[in-house]
Amino acid sequence: MHVNERADTVTTSEGQFTVRTDSGSVFTAPRIIAATGGFGTPHSPALKGLDAFTGTVVHAADYREPTYMGQSVIVVGAGNSAVQIAAELAESANVILASRHPVKFAPQRPLRRDMHFWFKYTGIDTLPIGHLLSRPPTSPVFDTGRYRAALTADAPQRRAMFTKLEGNQAFWPNDTTTTVDAVILATGYNPNLDYLTEPGAITDTGHPRHRKGLSTTHPGLGYVGLEWQRSLSSASLRGVGRDAHYVIRRLTTADASRLHPTE
């Protein structure tokens, strides 16, 4: 057993995968499951002027507390993290929430029970249909009313995405500018699958080519923890166990080399 080691590369030859780790270990296996999930790498979008911005740039992954008192801050995004961070900062800073799409809200506690309770109770999040759905541009913000009220009061102020950053200035579609001290990117995450160096296993954007967690390019390769891998809860503790059982069952059949993800 190899523990506390980081996989550097995974390659395959003649039906065997070879794993090389950061400690120099090398071992082989006929099947590999990449269980590093879908949120291992903070995503930073290609925003014009961001690389030369003279203020502070922080991804939500590194945000810990509101330390921008009195400063001018732009939070980029329209999801839960973006709205929550922007609302918290707006209590002590001048905050603009910038996004390409309007913020959408969903009730956090319909009929006095948390939305996640209803997902489980109704069985919606167990339906194996996640792979059939297209990810929406923005996920709804689960809200008890606090965040909708904050945006209604312009604390934070929501604006359409700026067109560019230049120095410490943000340029907006209406030809106005804002002096900015910090930009916080609440722009989501991508899978961390850099160790899969096999040609074709992952896309140019770092996402695996798979169906229901089974590689469509390399027999014997599986995934666990990807967003919408099989169901709406695939990336959560509620759903990852079901997906793991499914992937293991499919990979450990008598003739795994003939498995096809569409079967």
Side-chain angles (χ1 to χ4, degrees):
M1 179 180 292
H2 298 258
V3 297
N4 298 324
E5 296 184 56
R6 187 180 187 89
D8 277 344
T9 62
V10 175
T11 57
T12 185
S13 177
E14 298 181 353
Q16 289 284 318
F17 291 93
T18 299
V19 179
R20 291 176 171 80
T21 73
D22 58 354
S23 67
S25 298
V26 179
F27 57 95
T28 61
R31 302 169 185 84
I32 291 287
I33 296 177
T36 47
F39 307 108
T41 304
H43 171 63
S44 296
L47 301 177
K48 187 175 181 179
L50 183 63
D51 290 343
F53 176 61
T54 57
T56 302
V57 179
V58 176
H59 192 275
D62 299 312
Y63 176 85
R64 296 294 180 269
E65 55 186 350
T67 57
Y68 302 89
M69 184 174 296
Q71 296 186 37
S72 177
V73 181
I74 294 178
V75 178
V76 178
N80 284 274
S81 294
V83 172
Q84 292 167 9
I85 290 172
E88 181 178 64
L89 286 174
E91 296 177 4
S92 59
N94 300 311
V95 183
I96 295 174
L97 180 67
S99 61
R100 301 189 189 281
H101 303 278
V103 177
K104 299 178 181 178
F105 291 100
Q108 179 71 54
R109 294 180 61 82
L111 300 178
R112 300 184 179 181
R113 299 300 295 264
D114 190 271
M115 179 61 77
H116 294 283
F117 165 83
W118 293 112
F119 286 160
K120 182 177 180 180
Y121 181 79
T122 60
I124 290 176
D125 70 354
T126 65
L127 297 175
I129 60 172
H131 64 290
L132 300 175
L133 304 176
S134 298
R135 183 177 181 180
T138 58
S139 299
V141 175
F142 290 114
D143 185 23
T144 59
R146 171 189 175 188
Y147 299 114
R148 186 189 293 272
L151 264 67
T152 300
D154 284 340
Q157 177 188 160
R158 192 265 162 185
R159 289 192 186 182
M161 179 60 65
F162 51 79
T163 56
K164 66 176 180 178
L165 296 169
E166 191 172 291
N168 67 343
Q169 299 289 309
F171 291 74
W172 304 96
N174 61 358
D175 294 328
T176 62
T177 61
T178 302
T179 300
V180 183
D181 297 302
V183 173
I184 298 178
L185 302 173
T187 47
Y189 301 82
N190 289 323
N192 181 12
L193 297 170
D194 291 345
Y195 52 87
L196 291 178
T197 57
E198 282 297 298
I202 60 177
T203 67
D204 292 340
T205 59
H207 290 79
R209 291 187 168 95
H210 76 101
R211 180 177 172 80
K212 299 183 182 181
L214 298 170
S215 173
T216 56
T217 59
H218 293 73
L221 172 61
Y223 302 92
V224 170
L226 300 175
E227 189 174 23
W228 291 12
Q229 178 170 315
R230 292 181 64 237
S231 70
L232 301 183
S233 59
S234 282
S236 73
L237 292 176
R238 295 195 314 278
V240 69
R242 290 189 299 270
D243 289 353
H245 284 296
Y246 173 84
V247 170
I248 291 171
R249 185 173 68 252
R250 294 296 304 276
L251 290 181
T252 55
T253 54
D255 190 1
S257 65
R258 294 185 179 180
L259 282 178
H260 192 284
T262 58
E263 291 180 353

